[in-house]
Amino acid sequence: MKKLIAWALTGIGAFATMGAAQAQMVTAVSPQSVVDAMQNAGYRAVLKKDSAGDPLIESSSSGSSFNVFFYGCTNNRNCRTVQFFSGYKDPKNASLSVLNGWNANNRFTRAYLADTGSARIEMDVDLDDGGMSAALFEDNLEFWVALMAKFERTINGG
């Protein structure tokens, strides 16, 4: 009987731990979890809505602004993925050749020229099916910030 009780308590403890771990997951379903993860990593993160009514986070790193867009949303809720995005007006060195070179050598981001001539860079993060741990999200965020800074040097001729 004592073994049965010990086994039951172990199972309850495992479920409680699992629940705590899930509570720390970063998901697009919960835009606030993305905001919290960004703020815990030391970034400004302001939750707003985009022109379609979907969640949008405004942030910055080293003086450069970027947004986190939410995609795969149903009625502006229950989103599935996010995209880090930054745009740069009047880049000094953002020819199609330079941007194609960027895309060929930087696997996780894509760069392009907008119709207005601004250079843009994006990185998708799949937070579907339960999301990811805060640590892994922070790793993706830091990777994004590093690539964003590298992109800025590239398009500014530095």
Side-chain angles (χ1 to χ4, degrees), residues 42-75:
Y43 291 88
R44 177 180 64 86
V46 179
L47 183 60
K48 296 186 171 194
K49 292 186 183 291
D50 68 13
S51 60
D54 291 335
L56 161 73
I57 297 173
E58 294 179 348
S59 188
S60 62
S61 173
S62 300
S64 296
S65 297
F66 67 93
N67 292 326
V68 181
F69 292 106
F70 288 71
Y71 286 96
C73 306
T74 303
N75 298 322

Coordinates of all heavy atoms in Angstrom, one line a residue, residues 42-75:
G42 N 15.6 41.0 -21.4 CA 16.1 42.4 -21.4 C 15.7 43.3 -22.5 O 16.3 44.3 -22.7
Y43 N 14.7 42.9 -23.3 CA 14.3 43.7 -24.4 C 13.0 44.4 -24.1 O 12.2 43.9 -23.4 CB 14.1 42.8 -25.7 CG 15.3 42.3 -26.2 CD1 15.9 41.1 -25.7 CD2 16.1 43.0 -27.2 CE1 17.1 40.6 -26.2 CE2 17.3 42.5 -27.7 CZ 17.8 41.3 -27.2 OH 19.0 40.8 -27.6
R44 N 12.8 45.6 -24.7 CA 11.6 46.3 -24.6 C 10.6 45.5 -25.5 O 11.0 45.0 -26.6 CB 11.7 47.7 -25.2 CG 10.5 48.5 -25.3 CD 10.7 49.9 -25.8 NE 11.2 49.9 -27.2 CZ 10.4 49.8 -28.3 NH1 9.1 49.8 -28.1 NH2 10.9 49.8 -29.5
A45 N 9.4 45.3 -25.1 CA 8.4 44.6 -25.8 C 7.0 45.2 -25.5 O 6.5 45.0 -24.4 CB 8.4 43.1 -25.5
V46 N 6.5 45.9 -26.5 CA 5.2 46.5 -26.3 C 4.2 45.8 -27.2 O 4.3 45.8 -28.5 CB 5.2 48.0 -26.7 CG1 3.9 48.7 -26.6 CG2 6.3 48.7 -25.9
L47 N 3.1 45.2 -26.6 CA 2.1 44.5 -27.3 C 1.1 45.4 -27.9 O 0.5 46.3 -27.2 CB 1.5 43.5 -26.4 CG 0.4 42.5 -27.0 CD1 1.0 41.7 -28.2 CD2 -0.2 41.6 -25.9
K48 N 0.8 45.3 -29.2 CA -0.1 46.2 -29.9 C -0.9 45.3 -30.8 O -0.8 44.1 -30.8 CB 0.5 47.3 -30.7 CG 1.3 48.3 -29.8 CD 1.8 49.4 -30.6 CE 2.4 50.5 -29.6 NZ 2.6 51.7 -30.3
K49 N -1.7 45.9 -31.8 CA -2.4 45.1 -32.8 C -1.9 45.7 -34.2 O -1.7 46.9 -34.3 CB -3.9 45.3 -32.6 CG -4.4 44.5 -31.4 CD -5.9 44.6 -31.3 CE -6.4 43.9 -30.1 NZ -6.2 42.5 -30.0
D50 N -1.8 44.8 -35.2 CA -1.5 45.3 -36.5 C -2.8 45.8 -37.2 O -3.9 45.8 -36.6 CB -0.8 44.2 -37.3 CG -1.6 43.0 -37.7 OD1 -2.9 43.1 -37.5 OD2 -1.1 42.0 -38.1
S51 N -2.7 46.2 -38.4 CA -3.8 46.8 -39.2 C -4.9 45.8 -39.4 O -6.1 46.2 -39.6 CB -3.3 47.3 -40.5 OG -2.8 46.3 -41.3
A52 N -4.7 44.5 -39.3 CA -5.7 43.4 -39.4 C -6.3 43.0 -38.1 O -7.2 42.3 -38.0 CB -5.1 42.2 -40.1
G53 N -5.7 43.6 -37.0 CA -6.2 43.3 -35.7 C -5.5 42.1 -35.0 O -5.8 41.8 -33.9
D54 N -4.4 41.6 -35.7 CA -3.6 40.5 -35.1 C -2.6 41.1 -34.1 O -2.3 42.3 -34.2 CB -2.9 39.7 -36.1 CG -3.8 38.9 -37.0 OD1 -4.9 38.5 -36.5 OD2 -3.5 38.6 -38.1
P55 N -2.1 40.3 -33.1 CA -1.1 40.8 -32.2 C 0.1 41.3 -33.0 O 0.5 40.8 -34.0 CB -0.8 39.6 -31.3 CG -2.0 38.7 -31.5 CD -2.5 38.9 -32.9
L56 N 0.8 42.2 -32.4 CA 2.1 42.8 -32.9 C 2.9 43.3 -31.7 O 2.3 43.9 -30.8 CB 1.8 44.0 -33.8 CG 2.9 44.9 -34.1 CD1 3.9 44.3 -35.1 CD2 2.4 46.2 -34.7
I57 N 4.2 42.9 -31.7 CA 5.0 43.4 -30.7 C 6.1 44.4 -31.3 O 6.7 44.0 -32.3 CB 5.7 42.2 -30.0 CG1 4.7 41.3 -29.3 CG2 6.8 42.8 -28.9 CD1 5.3 40.1 -28.7
E58 N 6.2 45.5 -30.7 CA 7.3 46.5 -31.1 C 8.4 46.4 -30.1 O 8.2 46.3 -28.9 CB 6.7 47.9 -31.1 CG 5.7 48.1 -32.1 CD 5.1 49.5 -32.1 OE1 5.4 50.3 -31.2 OE2 4.4 49.9 -33.1
S59 N 9.6 46.3 -30.6 CA 10.8 46.2 -29.8 C 12.0 46.8 -30.5 O 11.9 47.5 -31.5 CB 11.1 44.7 -29.6 OG 12.2 44.5 -28.6
S60 N 13.2 46.7 -29.9 CA 14.4 47.3 -30.4 C 15.6 46.6 -29.8 O 15.5 46.0 -28.8 CB 14.4 48.8 -30.2 OG 14.5 49.1 -28.9
S61 N 16.7 46.8 -30.5 CA 18.0 46.3 -30.0 C 19.1 47.3 -30.5 O 19.1 47.6 -31.7 CB 18.3 44.9 -30.5 OG 19.6 44.5 -30.2
S62 N 19.9 47.8 -29.7 CA 21.0 48.7 -30.0 C 20.6 49.8 -30.9 O 21.2 50.2 -31.9 CB 22.1 47.9 -30.7 OG 22.6 46.8 -29.9
G63 N 19.4 50.4 -30.6 CA 18.9 51.5 -31.3 C 18.2 51.2 -32.6 O 17.7 52.1 -33.3
S64 N 18.0 50.0 -32.9 CA 17.3 49.6 -34.2 C 16.0 48.9 -33.8 O 16.0 48.0 -33.0 CB 18.2 48.6 -35.0 OG 19.3 49.2 -35.4
S65 N 14.9 49.4 -34.4 CA 13.6 48.9 -34.1 C 13.3 47.6 -34.9 O 13.8 47.5 -36.0 CB 12.5 49.9 -34.5 OG 12.7 51.1 -33.7
F66 N 12.5 46.8 -34.3 CA 12.0 45.6 -35.0 C 10.7 45.2 -34.5 O 10.3 45.7 -33.4 CB 13.0 44.4 -35.0 CG 13.2 43.8 -33.6 CD1 12.4 42.7 -33.2 CD2 14.2 44.2 -32.7 CE1 12.6 42.1 -32.0 CE2 14.4 43.6 -31.5 CZ 13.6 42.6 -31.1
N67 N 9.9 44.5 -35.3 CA 8.6 44.1 -34.9 C 8.5 42.5 -34.8 O 9.3 41.9 -35.5 CB 7.5 44.5 -35.9 CG 7.3 46.0 -35.9 OD1 7.5 46.7 -34.8 ND2 7.1 46.6 -37.0
V68 N 7.6 42.1 -34.0 CA 7.3 40.6 -34.0 C 5.8 40.5 -34.5 O 4.9 41.0 -33.8 CB 7.4 40.0 -32.6 CG1 7.1 38.5 -32.7 CG2 8.9 40.2 -32.1
F69 N 5.6 40.0 -35.7 CA 4.3 39.8 -36.2 C 3.8 38.4 -35.9 O 4.6 37.5 -35.9 CB 4.3 40.0 -37.8 CG 4.6 41.4 -38.2 CD1 5.8 41.7 -38.7 CD2 3.6 42.4 -38.1 CE1 6.1 43.0 -39.1 CE2 3.8 43.7 -38.5 CZ 5.1 44.0 -39.0
F70 N 2.5 38.3 -35.7 CA 1.9 37.0 -35.4 C 1.1 36.5 -36.7 O 0.4 37.3 -37.3 CB 0.9 37.1 -34.2 CG 1.6 37.3 -32.9 CD1 2.3 38.4 -32.6 CD2 1.6 36.2 -32.0 CE1 3.0 38.6 -31.4 CE2 2.3 36.4 -30.8 CZ 3.0 37.5 -30.5
Y71 N 1.3 35.2 -37.0 CA 0.6 34.7 -38.2 C -0.2 33.4 -37.9 O 0.0 32.8 -36.8 CB 1.7 34.3 -39.3 CG 2.3 35.6 -39.9 CD1 3.4 36.2 -39.5 CD2 1.6 36.2 -41.0 CE1 3.9 37.3 -40.1 CE2 2.1 37.3 -41.6 CZ 3.3 37.9 -41.1 OH 3.7 39.0 -41.7
G72 N -1.0 33.0 -38.8 CA -1.8 31.9 -38.6 C -2.9 32.0 -37.6 O -3.3 31.1 -36.9
C73 N -3.3 33.3 -37.4 CA -4.3 33.6 -36.4 C -5.7 33.3 -36.9 O -6.0 33.4 -38.1 CB -4.2 35.1 -36.0 SG -2.6 35.6 -35.5
T74 N -6.6 32.9 -35.9 CA -8.0 32.8 -36.2 C -8.8 33.8 -35.5 O -8.7 33.9 -34.2 CB -8.5 31.4 -35.8 OG1 -7.7 30.4 -36.4 CG2 -10.0 31.2 -36.1
N75 N -9.4 34.7 -36.2 CA -10.2 35.8 -35.6 C -9.3 36.6 -34.7 O -9.7 37.0 -33.5 CB -11.4 35.3 -34.9 CG -12.4 34.7 -35.9 OD1 -12.5 35.1 -37.0 ND2 -13.0 33.6 -35.4

